[in-house]
Amino acid sequence: MKKLLTVLCFVLVFTMLLSPVAFAAEANTDTLTNWDLRITVPDGKTAVFKGDEYYIYAMKDGSIPYVMVRVYNCDSEETFISDFTRYMQKQYKDLKVSSEAEEKTVGGRRCWEIDYAYKVSGYDVTDRRIVTTVGERTYMFASKEVESLGLTIGDMLEQVVAGCEFLSEEAAAPAPENEDDLARAYLYCQENGMPKYWLDFTGTYANDLVLHCYFRSSDPTFYESLLILDLSSADLGKDSITFYKIYDMHGIDHSDGFKKLVIREDGSNLVMEVERDERRLAGGSESILFSGEYEMEPVGVNARYEYRNEADMLKYWLDLGGEAIRLHAMFRSGDPEYHEEVFTIDPKTAVMDGSYTIRVGKLFNEKGFDVSKWFKSLTLTEVQGGINMTVDRDESTLAGGPEDNILSGTYFFDPHTYLKPGHDGPFTPKELCRWAQIRYFTKTGFFPPEADFEKNDDGSYTIHLYEVVNTDGFVHTATSAWYSVDEYGVGVDDIFGGEIRLAG
């Protein structure tokens, strides 16, 4: 179970942002599962979630005074306070730091406090912030009071901080020796090797677990359909997770169609146990997730966000893997053919502006030159399941035409994930054949049932994907693809030309 919980921590891919999961109340405490926090609510007080903030109201009308809790992905109180103060200065033009940040102890825990003052509707607001860091998260506790109206809460802020239990400290799963070895996807294939279902732990499509299904109706080819498995309502057992809320990508609730959907560990694999309500099934056997047990092997996955222009050409994409965010752009510099250029966003100089926006600081091109001066501003904002990139370009730095520059505008990036092997190679010929079949299937919807290889004199492999067809007694081979690749799966599509990568 520890491994499964560790894998679940990767569900949030946009690592500089955090979207908390709804809580489950018990007695006078609320367990905020996705925050690893159990919080004690003072007697007689009302606690609610609003968006990604948790409020404990001191009065019945749901207004000031109150205590607010929020969590950020940051591993330093000092860094957080400095960045947060700049954010507050933008929100309140009359902001004053009434008490500079200082270290203190609350409930036996090392914390930092900073106090602000500003006006709201003509009244002076006292705004106190206490922050503490656990692991890579900073927990911020805030209280707002209007003393002139008698709207005060005494030491309730300190009581709330002292009454918190940080669950990651109580039962922290041991960190893996190499996080890159943790699977972020688990794949189930049919007996003929065709992918049928896979679990997506990247969080690219939603801050929940995503089940990718390959279905088909009357069409001979398959299409990809997604089911969202809601983590906020799931039960974590000793070695399994039971899901109660299941949605499609349009937000339609399909939970009533399932009597059970459980994911459990089985050695290095996961098993998905499904029990359907047969009365609610509609459609054929190839367009429905039926009752059964599906054993899933760990595989790799590439997760990225893509922007396509009006001609549906891939223009930009964001790679959120690794320590930095990389922005890939397709330019052509006056040539008929496009080429790829990669820009790196420096995470150390990026600033979290509000809850869901990252304001880019330094930006480097693929040669390592700082090109930040090209932009007056460049922000990334998580919105509607994707990411908005808003660009304000310094026009005086433009060189070349519109197809050779990142221009001012707002670009919406859709999420996409791509299966790949669980390791980076080199691959055996059998592995190359298998992933050539999977790659062809996920791109075209047709799974070539046969795959052969031949080793070439230069050490590369020629892979043939095909189907043996019997037409009225005439047996022949229907070719799907010919690839020539090295032992890492990189090479050429021998039919259509162009580079291919079988491993991602």
Side-chain angles (χ1 to χ4, degrees):
M1 185 59 189
K2 288 182 178 179
K3 180 186 71 177
L4 186 55
L5 288 173
T6 305
V7 171
L8 278 175
C9 79
F10 286 105
V11 169
L12 294 174
V13 162
F14 205 48
T15 55
M16 298 185 74
L17 306 175
L18 183 85
S19 297
V21 179
F23 57 88
E26 74 179 53
N28 290 324
T29 65
D30 281 332
T31 301
L32 313 184
T33 308
N34 208 43
W35 286 0
D36 286 333
L37 184 68
R38 184 178 295 114
I39 190 166
T40 299
V41 179
D43 291 339
K45 308 305 180 188
T46 301
V48 297
F49 248 127
K50 286 188 177 180
D52 53 4
E53 294 168 336
Y54 178 86
Y55 290 84
I56 302 176
Y57 291 109
M59 301 176 66
K60 299 295 184 182
D61 61 352
S63 62
I64 291 177
Y66 57 71
V67 170
M68 181 187 74
V69 186
R70 191 164 187 169
V71 183
Y72 298 84
N73 278 15
C74 180
D75 59 4
S76 165
E77 296 99 334
E78 296 93 329
T79 299
F80 172 81
I81 288 175
S82 175
D83 292 343
F84 188 78
T85 298
R86 288 197 294 271
Y87 165 74
M88 290 288 285
Q89 288 168 340
K90 295 177 181 179
Q91 302 302 308
Y92 302 98
K93 300 303 181 183
D94 62 338
L95 183 82
K96 295 179 181 178
V97 177
S98 54
S99 179
E100 295 288 346
E102 63 176 354
E103 188 174 355
K104 62 187 300 184
T105 301
V106 181
R109 174 172 295 278
R110 173 186 172 274
C111 303
W112 285 76
E113 179 178 345
I114 185 170
D115 298 348
Y116 304 107
Y118 47 86
K119 288 184 180 293
V120 174
S121 300
Y123 293 101
D124 292 319
V125 175
T126 299
D127 186 330
R128 300 173 58 212
R129 308 274 169 156
I130 294 178
V131 298
T132 187
T133 294
V134 180
E136 297 182 352
R137 288 178 172 175
T138 290
Y139 295 79
M140 181 185 71
F141 302 83
S143 67
K144 292 193 178 185
E145 302 172 278
V146 181
E147 296 179 6
S148 62
L149 298 177
L151 302 176
T152 59
I153 58 174
D155 63 353
M156 189 171 117
L157 176 61
E158 284 78 6
Q159 289 180 35
V160 171
V161 176
C164 282
E165 301 172 56
F166 298 87
L167 305 181
S168 59
E169 290 183 333
E170 297 177 3
E177 294 183 5
N178 182 0
E179 290 185 350
D180 291 338
D181 292 337
L182 282 172
R184 299 179 71 187
Y186 285 80
L187 172 66
Y188 167 77
C189 292
Q190 297 181 155
E191 290 185 2
N192 66 351
M194 190 194 87
K196 186 62 176 175
Y197 308 115
W198 64 278
L199 287 166
D200 182 352
F201 285 89
T202 65
T204 306
Y205 284 88
N207 292 332
D208 292 296
L209 199 56
V210 180
L211 176 64
H212 297 244
C213 307
Y214 293 103
F215 292 148
R216 66 178 176 185
S217 299
S218 57
D219 195 287
T221 58
F222 286 81
Y223 61 90
E224 186 178 46
S225 181
L226 307 183
L227 291 176
I228 308 300
L229 310 183
D230 181 9
L231 284 170
S232 67
S233 61
D235 278 345
L236 299 182
K238 182 178 180 182
D239 58 358
S240 65
I241 302 176
T242 301
F243 293 92
Y244 298 104
K245 290 292 184 181
I246 302 166
Y247 304 90
D248 65 20
M249 284 303 294
H250 303 291
I252 299 174
D253 191 343
H254 292 269
S255 311
D256 290 345
F258 293 83
K259 293 182 178 179
K260 179 174 73 170
L261 198 156
V262 176
I263 296 171
R264 59 178 173 83
E265 289 185 37
D266 185 6
S268 61
N269 295 343
L270 296 182
V271 175
M272 181 173 68
E273 300 178 20
V274 178
E275 184 179 351
R276 295 300 302 264
D277 184 343
E278 305 293 337
R279 298 169 302 174
R280 296 181 178 273
L281 295 182
S285 60
E286 293 185 314
S287 61
I288 291 176
L289 171 58
F290 275 104
S291 299
E293 290 194 3
Y294 304 92
E295 185 169 355
M296 298 179 162
E297 62 177 303
V299 294
V301 63
N302 278 341
R304 69 189 196 186
Y305 291 80
E306 300 178 352
Y307 167 77
R308 293 180 178 271
N309 61 17
E310 293 180 355
D312 199 35
M313 189 199 85
L314 180 61
K315 181 65 177 175
Y316 306 119
W317 66 98
L318 288 165
D319 179 2
L320 303 183
E323 296 181 356
I325 298 174
R326 287 179 171 79
L327 171 61
H328 298 248
M330 296 302 292
F331 294 150
R332 61 181 182 183
S333 305
D335 297 327
E337 299 294 330
Y338 284 86
H339 64 275
E340 178 184 344
E341 292 192 20
V342 183
F343 300 89
T344 300
I345 296 171
D346 179 14
K348 295 180 180 178
T349 57
V351 176
M352 187 167 64
D353 188 358
S355 304
Y356 298 97
T357 297
I358 294 175
R359 187 171 296 276
V360 175
K362 288 190 177 296
L363 185 73
F364 299 92
N365 66 11
E366 53 195 11
K367 295 181 180 179
F369 295 127
D370 186 349
V371 296
S372 312
K373 64 181 181 180
W374 291 2
F375 304 91
K376 295 179 181 178
S377 67
L378 195 159
T379 61
L380 303 174
T381 303
E382 188 180 32
V383 60
Q384 298 175 355
I387 294 175
N388 266 341
M389 180 175 75
T390 304
V391 178
D392 186 2
R393 183 66 188 259
D394 184 347
E395 304 292 336
S396 66
T397 65
L398 289 177
E403 293 181 323
D404 202 30
N405 285 283
I406 302 174
L407 301 178
S408 296
T410 299
Y411 306 88
F412 182 73
F413 289 71
D414 283 309
H416 291 274
T417 46
Y418 302 92
L419 286 170
K420 68 176 185 178
H423 65 97
D424 293 329
F427 304 107
T428 66
K430 185 176 180 181
E431 287 177 316
L432 290 173
C433 286
R434 184 193 182 198
W435 283 95
Q437 289 174 297
I438 291 174
R439 179 186 185 276
Y440 190 90
F441 171 73
T442 56
K443 286 184 174 293
T444 68
F446 174 74
F447 184 78
E450 306 294 337
D452 292 336
F453 73 92
E454 182 178 330
K455 189 168 185 178
N456 303 315
D457 292 339
D458 61 359
S460 66
Y461 296 90
T462 296
I463 296 175
H464 183 204
L465 304 182
Y466 63 97
E467 179 183 15
V468 177
V469 179
N470 187 334
T471 305
D472 297 329
F474 176 67
V475 179
H476 63 98
T477 298
T479 293
S480 297
W482 286 96
Y483 301 134
S484 293
V485 296
D486 61 19
E487 61 184 349
Y488 290 90
V490 178
V492 177
D493 185 321
D494 294 327
I495 296 178
F496 295 103
E499 184 184 78
I500 61 165
R501 294 178 178 270
L502 303 183

